[in-house]
Amino acid sequence: MTGKSPGHLGVHQLIDDGRTRIIVCCGSGGGGKTTIAAALGVRAAERGRHVVVLTVDPARRLAQSMGLTSLDNTPRRVAGVGAPGPGDGEPGSLHAMMLDMKRTFDEIVEAHADPDRAAQILANPFYQSLSSSFAGTQEYMAMEKLGQLRRADEWDLIVVDTPPSRSALDFLDAPQRLGKFLDGRLLRLLVAPASFGGRTGLKVLNVGFGLFTGVVTKILGGQLLRDVQTFVSAMDTMFGGFRERAEYTYRLLRAPGTAFLVIAAPEQDALREASYFVDRLETEGMPLGGMLVNRVHHPRAAGLSAARSLAAAETLQAQPPGHSSALAGVALRLHAERMKQAASEQRLTERFTGAHPLIPVAQIAAQPEDVHDLDGLRALGASFS
Ligand SMILES: Nc1ncnc2c1ncn2[C@@H]1O[C@H](COP(=O)(O)OP(=O)(O)OP(=O)(O)O)[C@@H](O)[C@H]1O
Ligand SMILES: [Mg+2]
């Protein structure tokens, strides 16, 4: 989409290209999705685009630095970000929001049910636990929110962070899992006795369902079963299926203008997981923008090899204890460690590129400390290629 050569991911090209409308930052836990999503947002806004960043569970200090002090589920303008664009001189802008999973779910209910019914659903204990704790709800709601932001059409670039799942694949699987569950046969069976009740022709069937319900009641408890039944019959009349909504967002994710960025630390497990994930994106026909290897170390004095550095440290160790060169010895050993780490990071990155030669890759330097303010995000963005 950006005309870059295979092998190298041009992050600037990607964010400057007006055809890029959605960037999804994904990858396994702790790789830097939230930080990079925010840094991409700041960078793109300062290069003249109108950007909204949807973050999920950002660290407190990072959230505060973007003016996100409460979970209000609406995009807020980030003060102090946005500068004349490179070409036409138009200033860009950045909005940011934190995903409030439960609030997003509540809003869907409120938008699709009349006020009485909405109140009934919102008060339902089964709904309450589903909307705040079902595995996959967060992933589903992130997608839902993305759909809403896209429909609002107020921004020319949406950057989406994804939930802190153990596996990156959860993001693709969870919405369907949740959709299937809500649309699913189990729930329909649970509701069935209530809707069939009283019809004489269905007596035999009713006995079967009655037995079934009896078993489920024993397992789940009667109150919970009643909660589920009222919840599902209320939801059922409300809107045409969660699965269809998940499918809408899937289409959005596959549309031209979307780019997935897979983010991984230069570590074996993270890169292995990233490998599965890029294969999966390909199978699903999702547009992969490229791979970002994050927190790569580039030691200073890279001209001094680990071996020479260690040899020099050995020589210094021969000096009498307390000699001032003891400190130099420590520094040399530290340098040797860093050189080894950097070599291992490069090796692992090359292994990934070898296995996926057509996937554009960029490396992002490890910053000297955690990234938790706008200046930190700017510095990170400045290291993008
Ligand atoms: N390039 C970098 N240099 C230094 N620190 C970084 C870099 N990228 C991310 N970090 C730090 O790593 C930590 C984890 O990053 P982040 O929260 O963005 O990861 P995540 O993928 O969103 O995690 P989760 O899966 O839990 O949501 C943060 O403290 C962040 O400041
Ligand atoms: Mg995160």
Side-chain angles (χ1 to χ4, degrees):
M1 182 163 77
T2 54
K4 58 202 172 249
S5 60
H8 179 74
L9 170 63
V11 180
H12 285 151
Q13 255 178 327
L14 183 73
I15 58 182
D16 286 348
D17 188 334
R19 289 169 298 178
T20 310
R21 301 298 306 276
I22 295 175
I23 296 178
V24 185
C25 296
C26 43
S28 47
K33 299 178 291 290
T34 305
T35 312
I36 288 176
L40 285 169
V42 171
R43 190 75 179 167
E46 298 201 326
R47 290 169 76 89
R49 298 202 68 181
H50 295 284
V51 192
V52 62
V53 177
L54 168 59
T55 62
V56 181
D57 221 358
R60 230 166 80 102
R61 287 180 70 186
L62 182 68
Q64 281 170 346
S65 76
M66 291 194 292
L68 302 173
T69 43
S70 65
L71 265 178
D72 63 359
N73 218 23
T74 40
R76 299 269 165 226
R77 177 88 190 247
V78 181
V81 178
D88 55 16
E90 281 290 306
S93 66
L94 177 65
H95 284 73
M97 64 167 289
M98 292 189 268
L99 177 73
D100 180 340
M101 171 176 81
K102 178 153 191 341
R103 189 71 221 126
T104 305
F105 210 151
D106 292 355
E107 281 166 6
I108 300 175
V109 172
E110 284 160 358
H112 289 88
D114 61 64
D116 285 351
R117 180 142 276 188
Q120 191 193 340
I121 296 173
L122 297 182
N124 184 295
F126 175 73
Y127 169 77
Q128 288 170 355
S129 71
L130 178 76
S131 60
S132 50
S133 65
F134 185 79
T137 310
Q138 203 174 27
E139 283 83 356
Y140 182 87
M141 290 306 148
M143 286 219 187
E144 176 69 36
K145 201 74 206 176
L146 165 65
Q148 289 175 13
L149 292 173
R150 187 71 180 85
R151 277 192 295 271
D153 209 20
E154 285 173 38
W155 298 277
D156 62 27
L157 177 64
I158 304 172
V159 184
V160 194
D161 171 24
T162 51
S165 323
R166 193 184 52 77
S167 156
L169 297 175
D170 286 353
F171 178 66
L172 291 178
D173 290 333
Q176 275 198 333
R177 218 186 307 139
L178 179 66
K180 271 197 191 121
F181 171 73
L182 289 175
D183 272 357
R185 293 190 43 172
L186 173 65
L187 285 186
R188 260 161 231 297
L189 278 173
L190 290 173
V191 187
S195 44
F196 281 139
R199 292 223 220 132
T200 44
L202 290 167
K203 252 189 188 139
V204 182
L205 206 56
N206 260 337
V207 174
F209 277 126
L211 270 176
F212 174 77
T213 320
V215 173
V216 177
T217 309
K218 275 210 189 87
I219 300 169
L220 295 180
Q223 185 55 43
L224 178 62
L225 183 64
R226 276 189 297 280
D227 291 344
V228 175
Q229 285 175 346
T230 42
F231 168 73
V232 176
S233 37
M235 294 291 272
D236 227 28
T237 53
M238 196 174 76
F239 58 97
F242 266 80
R243 208 164 351 164
E244 278 102 277
R245 297 174 74 80
E247 276 161 12
Y248 162 78
T249 323
Y250 257 56
R251 282 199 297 280
L252 196 62
L253 292 177
R254 269 203 217 101
T258 299
F260 279 82
L261 291 181
V262 179
I263 297 158
E267 290 158 11
Q268 198 160 1
D269 289 350
L271 287 171
R272 190 181 303 129
E273 174 101 21
S275 251
Y276 289 131
F277 192 55
V278 296
D279 289 343
R280 174 71 189 279
L281 286 175
E282 196 181 12
T283 320
E284 303 255 343
M286 300 279 178
L288 175 64
M291 163 84 177
L292 289 176
V293 184
N294 184 31
R295 302 190 87 157
V296 176
H297 293 88
H298 299 288
R300 293 184 190 177
L304 177 60
S305 73
R308 278 180 54 219
S309 177
L310 275 180
E314 295 290 331
T315 319
L316 288 176
Q317 213 163 25
Q319 303 285 339
H323 192 274
S324 65
S325 53
L327 199 60
V330 173
L332 283 164
R333 281 180 197 285
L334 206 62
H335 175 71
E337 280 307 309
R338 295 244 167 98
M339 289 298 286
K340 282 186 194 158
Q341 186 184 1
S344 147
E345 292 173 357
Q346 291 310 319
R347 211 172 36 246
L348 289 166
T349 308
E350 279 158 23
R351 194 185 295 168
F352 180 89
T353 340
H356 306 275
L358 294 178
I359 296 179
V361 176
Q363 294 194 332
I364 296 179
Q367 305 297 300
E369 51 193 57
D370 274 1
V371 182
H372 47 64
D373 56 19
L374 288 178
D375 284 342
L377 292 173
R378 284 196 182 96
L380 191 63
S383 77
F384 294 160
S385 48

